[in-house]
Amino acid sequence: MELDQIANWIMTHPGLLQGNSVIADNAPFSSVPLSMHHAYQGNPRLGFIYQHVCSELFNASPEYQLLAEEIQLIRDKKTLGAIDFIAHNIRTQHIEHWEVAIKFYLLHDELWYGPNPKDRLDKKLDRMLHHQLAINQTSVFRERFPQWENVDPKLLMQGRLYTNPFRNERIPTHCFEFPVNQSQITGHWCYRNEVSQIPEPIYPLEKWQWMAGHNGAITKNVQSHTQFTHYQSASGTFWFIVPEHWPDNR
Protein backbone atom coordinates (compact mmCIF):
# COMPACT_ATOMS: atom_id res chain seq x y z
CA MET A 1 0.00 0.00 0.00
CA GLU A 2 1.53 3.33 -1.09
CA LEU A 3 0.68 5.69 1.77
CA ASP A 4 2.86 8.46 0.29
CA GLN A 5 0.82 8.30 -2.91
CA ILE A 6 -2.42 8.59 -0.93
CA ALA A 7 -1.05 11.51 1.11
CA ASN A 8 -0.05 13.39 -2.04
CA TRP A 9 -3.50 12.80 -3.53
CA ILE A 10 -5.21 14.16 -0.39
CA MET A 11 -3.02 17.28 -0.37
CA THR A 12 -3.55 18.09 -4.05
CA HIS A 13 -7.20 17.24 -4.79
CA PRO A 14 -10.14 19.60 -4.12
CA GLY A 15 -13.23 18.55 -2.22
CA LEU A 16 -16.45 17.29 -3.80
CA LEU A 17 -18.24 20.53 -2.93
CA GLN A 18 -17.21 24.15 -3.24
CA GLY A 19 -16.23 25.48 0.14
CA ASN A 20 -17.59 27.93 2.63
CA SER A 21 -16.77 28.66 6.27
CA VAL A 22 -17.48 25.03 7.21
CA ILE A 23 -16.90 22.99 4.05
CA ALA A 24 -13.25 22.98 2.97
CA ASP A 25 -12.37 23.64 -0.68
CA ASN A 26 -9.11 21.78 -0.20
CA ALA A 27 -7.33 19.75 2.44
CA PRO A 28 -6.05 22.00 5.27
CA PHE A 29 -2.58 20.47 5.18
CA SER A 30 0.39 22.21 3.65
CA SER A 31 2.28 20.43 0.92
CA VAL A 32 4.83 19.17 3.41
CA PRO A 33 7.35 16.43 2.69
CA LEU A 34 5.83 13.32 4.23
CA SER A 35 7.63 10.01 4.14
CA MET A 36 5.35 7.21 5.27
CA HIS A 37 7.42 4.06 5.07
CA HIS A 38 5.63 2.25 7.88
CA ALA A 39 3.21 -0.53 7.01
CA TYR A 40 -0.44 0.26 7.67
CA GLN A 41 -1.79 -2.20 10.24
CA GLY A 42 -5.27 -0.80 10.75
CA ASN A 43 -8.73 -1.54 9.43
CA PRO A 44 -8.51 -2.23 5.66
CA ARG A 45 -11.65 -0.25 4.86
CA LEU A 46 -10.88 2.76 2.71
CA GLY A 47 -12.35 5.28 5.15
CA PHE A 48 -10.00 4.10 7.91
CA ILE A 49 -6.98 4.28 5.60
CA TYR A 50 -7.99 7.79 4.56
CA GLN A 51 -8.43 8.94 8.16
CA HIS A 52 -5.07 7.44 9.14
CA VAL A 53 -3.28 9.38 6.41
CA CYS A 54 -5.15 12.57 7.38
CA SER A 55 -3.89 12.05 10.94
CA GLU A 56 -0.32 11.76 9.67
CA LEU A 57 -0.78 14.94 7.63
CA PHE A 58 -2.15 16.88 10.60
CA ASN A 59 0.84 15.79 12.64
CA ALA A 60 3.27 16.78 9.87
CA SER A 61 1.67 20.15 9.14
CA PRO A 62 3.38 23.23 10.61
CA GLU A 63 -0.01 24.97 10.52
CA TYR A 64 -1.74 22.63 12.98
CA GLN A 65 -1.29 21.04 16.35
CA LEU A 66 -3.37 17.87 16.55
CA LEU A 67 -4.98 17.80 20.00
CA ALA A 68 -7.19 14.70 19.82
CA GLU A 69 -8.61 12.21 17.38
CA GLU A 70 -11.31 9.56 17.23
CA ILE A 71 -13.12 10.82 20.34
CA GLN A 72 -16.06 8.55 21.20
CA LEU A 73 -18.93 10.38 22.90
CA ILE A 74 -21.32 8.26 24.98
CA ARG A 75 -24.45 9.19 26.91
CA ASP A 76 -26.35 6.67 29.03
CA LYS A 77 -24.33 3.84 27.51
CA LYS A 78 -25.41 4.96 24.02
CA THR A 79 -22.82 6.18 21.53
CA LEU A 80 -23.71 9.62 20.20
CA GLY A 81 -20.94 9.54 17.62
CA ALA A 82 -17.22 10.01 17.16
CA ILE A 83 -15.20 13.11 16.45
CA ASP A 84 -12.48 12.60 13.85
CA PHE A 85 -10.05 15.35 14.86
CA ILE A 86 -9.68 18.29 17.22
CA ALA A 87 -6.85 20.52 16.05
CA HIS A 88 -5.35 23.88 16.97
CA ASN A 89 -4.99 26.13 13.95
CA ILE A 90 -1.72 27.89 14.70
CA ARG A 91 -2.32 30.62 12.13
CA THR A 92 -5.78 31.68 13.39
CA GLN A 93 -5.33 30.47 16.98
CA HIS A 94 -8.74 28.76 16.71
CA ILE A 95 -9.66 25.27 17.85
CA GLU A 96 -11.20 23.31 14.97
CA HIS A 97 -13.32 20.17 14.88
CA TRP A 98 -12.59 18.33 11.63
CA GLU A 99 -14.69 15.59 10.10
CA VAL A 100 -13.12 13.93 7.06
CA ALA A 101 -14.65 11.59 4.51
CA ILE A 102 -13.57 9.88 1.30
CA LYS A 103 -16.58 9.21 -0.92
CA PHE A 104 -17.30 8.02 -4.47
CA TYR A 105 -20.71 8.82 -5.94
CA LEU A 106 -22.38 7.81 -9.20
CA LEU A 107 -25.03 9.97 -10.85
CA HIS A 108 -28.38 8.23 -11.37
CA ASP A 109 -31.74 10.01 -11.80
CA GLU A 110 -30.05 13.28 -10.82
CA LEU A 111 -28.93 11.91 -7.44
CA TRP A 112 -25.41 10.89 -6.43
CA TYR A 113 -25.35 7.28 -5.13
CA GLY A 114 -22.49 5.41 -3.52
CA PRO A 115 -21.49 1.84 -4.39
CA ASN A 116 -23.87 0.90 -1.58
CA PRO A 117 -26.99 2.68 -2.88
CA LYS A 118 -28.14 3.37 0.68
CA ASP A 119 -25.30 5.90 0.72
CA ARG A 120 -26.11 9.13 -1.11
CA LEU A 121 -24.30 12.45 -1.27
CA ASP A 122 -27.29 14.44 -0.03
CA LYS A 123 -27.89 12.09 2.91
CA LYS A 124 -24.21 11.97 3.82
CA LEU A 125 -23.80 15.73 3.65
CA ASP A 126 -26.89 16.30 5.81
CA ARG A 127 -25.61 13.90 8.46
CA MET A 128 -22.11 15.35 8.46
CA LEU A 129 -23.31 18.92 8.82
CA HIS A 130 -26.20 18.42 11.25
CA HIS A 131 -25.05 15.45 13.33
CA GLN A 132 -21.31 14.80 13.16
CA LEU A 133 -20.23 18.44 13.22
CA ALA A 134 -22.86 19.33 15.81
CA ILE A 135 -21.54 16.85 18.38
CA ASN A 136 -19.17 19.46 19.76
CA GLN A 137 -22.24 21.45 20.87
CA THR A 138 -23.64 18.64 23.04
CA SER A 139 -23.53 18.73 26.81
CA VAL A 140 -21.54 15.47 26.78
CA PHE A 141 -18.74 17.09 24.78
CA ARG A 142 -18.74 20.33 26.77
CA GLU A 143 -18.67 18.53 30.12
CA ARG A 144 -15.85 16.28 29.02
CA PHE A 145 -13.79 18.98 27.26
CA PRO A 146 -14.54 22.33 28.93
CA GLN A 147 -11.23 23.68 27.59
CA TRP A 148 -12.69 23.54 24.08
CA GLU A 149 -15.74 25.71 24.66
CA ASN A 150 -15.58 27.39 21.25
CA VAL A 151 -14.82 25.00 18.40
CA ASP A 152 -15.03 25.80 14.69
CA PRO A 153 -16.69 22.99 12.68
CA LYS A 154 -14.85 21.96 9.50
CA LEU A 155 -15.68 19.33 6.88
CA LEU A 156 -13.30 17.80 4.34
CA MET A 157 -15.13 15.55 1.88
CA GLN A 158 -12.95 14.29 -0.96
CA GLY A 159 -13.38 11.60 -3.57
CA ARG A 160 -14.71 11.50 -7.10
CA LEU A 161 -18.02 11.86 -8.96
CA TYR A 162 -18.97 9.55 -11.84
CA THR A 163 -21.36 9.89 -14.76
CA ASN A 164 -22.56 7.31 -17.28
CA PRO A 165 -21.36 8.42 -20.74
CA PHE A 166 -23.84 6.09 -22.43
CA ARG A 167 -26.87 7.81 -20.92
CA ASN A 168 -28.05 11.36 -21.37
CA GLU A 169 -28.63 12.80 -17.91
CA ARG A 170 -28.59 16.30 -16.51
CA ILE A 171 -25.72 16.86 -14.08
CA PRO A 172 -26.83 18.67 -10.91
CA THR A 173 -24.95 21.83 -10.07
CA HIS A 174 -25.79 21.74 -6.34
CA CYS A 175 -26.36 19.43 -3.41
CA PHE A 176 -28.86 21.34 -1.30
CA GLU A 177 -27.56 24.91 -1.49
CA PHE A 178 -23.94 23.86 -1.84
CA PRO A 179 -22.34 23.98 -5.33
CA VAL A 180 -20.93 20.71 -6.60
CA ASN A 181 -17.26 20.98 -7.53
CA GLN A 182 -17.50 20.31 -11.25
CA SER A 183 -13.77 19.61 -11.47
CA GLN A 184 -14.32 16.42 -9.47
CA ILE A 185 -16.80 14.91 -11.94
CA THR A 186 -14.04 12.97 -13.63
CA GLY A 187 -15.07 9.30 -13.46
CA HIS A 188 -17.44 7.15 -15.52
CA TRP A 189 -19.73 4.29 -14.62
CA CYS A 190 -21.81 1.84 -16.59
CA TYR A 191 -23.85 -1.34 -16.25
CA ARG A 192 -22.27 -4.70 -17.01
CA ASN A 193 -24.20 -4.94 -20.27
CA GLU A 194 -22.60 -1.64 -21.40
CA VAL A 195 -18.98 -2.68 -20.83
CA SER A 196 -18.44 -3.52 -24.50
CA GLN A 197 -18.95 0.17 -25.30
CA ILE A 198 -15.92 1.25 -23.26
CA PRO A 199 -13.39 2.28 -25.94
CA GLU A 200 -10.23 1.02 -24.20
CA PRO A 201 -9.11 -1.75 -21.83
CA ILE A 202 -9.78 -1.29 -18.13
CA TYR A 203 -7.85 -2.71 -15.20
CA PRO A 204 -8.90 -3.56 -11.64
CA LEU A 205 -7.98 -1.36 -8.69
CA GLU A 206 -7.26 -2.44 -5.17
CA LYS A 207 -9.31 -0.55 -2.58
CA TRP A 208 -6.44 1.69 -1.54
CA GLN A 209 -5.94 2.67 -5.22
CA TRP A 210 -9.45 4.11 -5.54
CA MET A 211 -8.09 7.58 -4.77
CA ALA A 212 -4.87 8.01 -6.74
CA GLY A 213 -5.29 5.13 -9.19
CA HIS A 214 -2.90 2.43 -10.38
CA ASN A 215 -0.08 4.93 -11.14
CA GLY A 216 1.12 2.70 -13.95
CA ALA A 217 1.02 -0.48 -11.83
CA ILE A 218 -1.38 -2.31 -14.14
CA THR A 219 -1.82 -5.99 -13.33
CA LYS A 220 -4.22 -7.47 -15.85
CA ASN A 221 -7.04 -6.66 -18.19
CA VAL A 222 -10.54 -7.48 -16.98
CA GLN A 223 -12.77 -9.47 -19.30
CA SER A 224 -15.73 -10.19 -16.99
CA HIS A 225 -17.58 -8.16 -14.40
CA THR A 226 -19.53 -10.10 -11.79
CA GLN A 227 -20.10 -7.45 -9.13
CA PHE A 228 -19.83 -3.76 -8.35
CA THR A 229 -16.16 -3.12 -9.14
CA HIS A 230 -13.76 -0.23 -9.70
CA TYR A 231 -11.34 0.01 -12.62
CA GLN A 232 -9.04 2.41 -14.37
CA SER A 233 -8.10 2.52 -18.02
CA ALA A 234 -4.54 2.76 -19.30
CA SER A 235 -5.21 6.41 -20.19
CA GLY A 236 -6.25 7.08 -16.59
CA THR A 237 -10.06 7.19 -16.72
CA PHE A 238 -11.76 5.72 -13.65
CA TRP A 239 -14.70 3.37 -14.21
CA PHE A 240 -17.24 1.73 -11.94
CA ILE A 241 -19.04 -1.31 -13.38
CA VAL A 242 -22.34 -2.03 -11.64
CA PRO A 243 -24.91 -4.88 -11.78
CA GLU A 244 -27.98 -4.33 -13.91
CA HIS A 245 -30.23 -4.06 -10.85
CA TRP A 246 -28.24 -1.19 -9.29
CA PRO A 247 -29.46 0.96 -7.54
CA ASP A 248 -32.84 -0.79 -7.24
CA ASN A 249 -31.84 -2.42 -3.96
CA ARG A 250 -31.77 1.00 -2.34
Side-chain angles (χ1 to χ4, degrees):
M1 183 183 300
E2 299 292 339
L3 295 180
D4 284 350
Q5 185 180 344
I6 294 172
N8 182 67
W9 184 92
I10 292 172
M11 286 190 289
T12 57
H13 277 70
L16 295 181
L17 301 166
Q18 293 183 24
N20 58 18
S21 61
V22 175
I23 299 174
D25 272 318
N26 299 282
F29 322 109
S30 298
S31 297
V32 296
L34 183 63
S35 182
M36 301 177 67
H37 298 302
H38 64 279
Y40 176 72
Q41 302 292 335
N43 190 306
R45 292 177 59 183
L46 189 59
F48 286 89
I49 298 170
Y50 177 76
Q51 188 168 331
H52 169 75
V53 177
C54 284
S55 175
E56 296 286 334
L57 287 166
F58 266 123
N59 279 310
S61 172
E63 300 173 6
Y64 279 92
Q65 177 190 5
L66 186 58
L67 302 176
E69 59 183 299
E70 197 57 29
I71 300 173
Q72 298 284 336
L73 294 177
I74 300 173
R75 175 192 289 147
D76 299 328
K77 299 182 179 180
K78 181 180 179 181
T79 300
L80 299 180
I83 288 176
D84 287 345
F85 302 105
I86 298 290
H88 176 219
N89 187 320
I90 296 172
R91 180 178 57 83
T92 66
Q93 292 299 304
H94 288 185
I95 303 299
E96 298 175 351
H97 164 196
W98 280 92
E99 292 295 318
V100 301
I102 180 71
K103 306 299 292 186
F104 301 87
Y105 289 112
L106 287 64
L107 184 63
H108 184 274
D109 289 342
E110 300 188 15
L111 291 171
W112 298 101
Y113 288 93
N116 177 352
K118 293 180 181 179
D119 179 21
R120 253 182 23 210
L121 176 58
D122 57 325
K123 293 181 179 180
K124 180 67 175 179
L125 181 60
D126 181 70
R127 180 169 178 79
M128 295 292 278
L129 292 177
H130 300 119
H131 176 74
Q132 290 298 116
L133 284 172
I135 290 178
N136 65 61
Q137 299 300 312
T138 63
S139 59
V140 175
F141 178 85
R142 292 184 172 185
E143 290 168 4
R144 186 174 169 186
F145 304 105
Q147 72 274 29
W148 298 330
E149 182 178 0
N150 297 309
V151 180
D152 294 339
K154 300 289 183 181
L155 172 62
L156 175 65
M157 186 183 294
Q158 292 178 297
R160 192 174 298 109
L161 301 174
Y162 299 70
T163 58
N164 189 323
F166 312 128
R167 296 167 183 264
N168 186 18
E169 182 166 4
R170 186 185 74 87
I171 300 176
T173 60
H174 289 71
C175 182
F176 301 125
E177 71 271 27
F178 305 103
V180 172
N181 191 339
Q182 301 294 309
S183 72
Q184 299 310 293
I185 308 175
T186 58
H188 290 320
W189 72 270
C190 70
Y191 290 108
R192 284 201 304 262
N193 59 16
E194 297 172 319
V195 169
S196 62
Q197 300 180 61
I198 298 175
E200 59 179 332
I202 56 176
Y203 304 88
L205 295 174
E206 296 184 50
K207 206 64 175 288
W208 68 268
Q209 295 175 314
W210 284 24
M211 287 175 273
H214 52 56
N215 196 28
I218 296 173
T219 55
K220 62 179 180 178
N221 189 16
V222 175
Q223 300 297 335
S224 63
H225 312 273
T226 58
Q227 56 185 349
F228 196 108
T229 39
H230 199 192
Y231 304 99
Q232 190 179 16
S233 71
S235 67
T237 303
F238 290 90
W239 283 88
F240 267 117
I241 311 301
V242 305
E244 277 74 10
H245 59 75
W246 184 90
D248 289 343
N249 59 342
R250 59 183 180 269

